[in-house]
C-alpha cells in the first residue's frame, strides 16, 4: 500500500479490534474445535497485525507532522471508494453473515471488492465465486468450522 501507512494502519488495527471484539459473542459449537467466529476472528487478527506493522513502518519513515498528510492520489474518489468498500464489506459480513449466510454474502462482497479494484466484471464474478467456494470447502469441510448458512439453512448438509 502506498497510502499513508501510519493513519491507515491505525484504521486497520481498529477495525481488526472491532472484529475480534464482535466475534467473542459468536456461539460455541459443542464438540467442535473451532466455532463460528474462527473465520472472522482470523481476518480480524490479520487486520490488527497488518495495522500494527503499517503504523510502525509509517512512524519510522516519517516525521510526526508529514505523515498526517495524504498523497494527492490517495484522496481521489476511486481510491477512497475502494478503501470504503473493504471496510464496509468487513462490517457487513460481521453484521449480516448469520442472516444471509456465507455462501451468498462472501461472493457478493468479494465481487464488490474486486470491482472496486477495477477488475473486469466477468473476471471479478468468476474469481469471487471460485474463491468463496474454496474458502467454504477449506473451512467447512476440511477444518470443520461451521460457517453461517443464513437463508440457505434448509439446504445445510
Amino acid at each position: 500500500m502506498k497510502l499513508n501507512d501510519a493513519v491507515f494502519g491505525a484504521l486497520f488495527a481498529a477495525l481488526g479490534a472491532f472484529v475480534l471484539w464482535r466475534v467473542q459473542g459468536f456461539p460455541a459449537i459443542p464438540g467442535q474445535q473451532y466455532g463460528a467466529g474462527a473465520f472472522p476472528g482470523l481476518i480480524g487478527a490479520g487486520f490488527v497485525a497488518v495495522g500494527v506493522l503499517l503504523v510502525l513502518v509509517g512512524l519510522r519513515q516519517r516525521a510526526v507532522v508529514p505523515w498526517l498528510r495524504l498523497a494527492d492520489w490517495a484522496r481521489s474518489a476511486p481510491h477512497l471508494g475502494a478503501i470504503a468498500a473493504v471496510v464496509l464489506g468487513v462490517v457487513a459480513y460481521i453484521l449480516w453473515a448469520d442472516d444471509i449466510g456465507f455462501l451468498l454474502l462472501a461472493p457478493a462482497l468479494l465481487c464488490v471488492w474486486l470491482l472496486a479494484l477495477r477488475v473486469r466484471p466477468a473476471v471479478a464474478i468468476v474469481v469471487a465465486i471460485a474463491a468463496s467456494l474454496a474458502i467454504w470447502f477449506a473451512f467447512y469441510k476440511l477444518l470443520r468450522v461451521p460457517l453461517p448458512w443464513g437463508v440457505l439453512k434448509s439446504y445445510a448438509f
Side-chain angles (χ1 to χ4, degrees):
M1 286 179 54
K2 296 226 181 253
L3 296 172
N4 186 309
D5 294 338
V7 172
F8 284 99
L11 292 174
F12 274 122
L15 178 62
F18 170 74
V19 170
L20 290 173
W21 169 74
R22 181 80 166 108
V23 299
Q24 298 303 313
F26 282 24
I29 309 298
Q32 296 291 329
Q33 183 176 0
Y34 303 103
F39 182 66
L42 182 66
I43 299 296
F47 273 14
V48 170
V50 167
V52 168
L53 287 174
L54 284 173
V55 168
L56 293 176
V57 167
L59 291 177
R60 193 182 93 212
Q61 292 179 349
R62 294 172 176 85
V64 174
V65 174
W67 65 264
L68 290 174
R69 193 175 139 285
L70 287 173
D72 290 337
W73 67 268
R75 285 181 256 160
S76 68
H79 294 97
L80 293 175
I83 293 167
V86 169
V87 171
L88 292 174
V90 170
V91 171
Y93 182 84
I94 292 168
L95 296 176
W96 298 330
D98 287 335
D99 297 328
I100 296 173
F102 179 85
L103 286 173
L104 295 178
L105 189 57
L109 290 175
L110 285 175
C111 190
V112 168
W113 290 339
L114 291 170
L115 292 172
L117 293 172
R118 300 189 185 272
V119 174
R120 290 186 320 223
V123 173
I125 292 169
V126 170
V127 168
I129 292 171
S132 297
L133 290 174
I135 292 168
W136 177 82
F137 181 78
F139 277 84
Y140 190 75
K141 289 294 185 180
L142 298 178
L143 297 174
R144 304 253 186 238
V145 175
L147 296 173
W149 281 94
V151 297
L152 299 176
K153 190 170 189 142
S154 60
Y155 300 106
F157 51 92

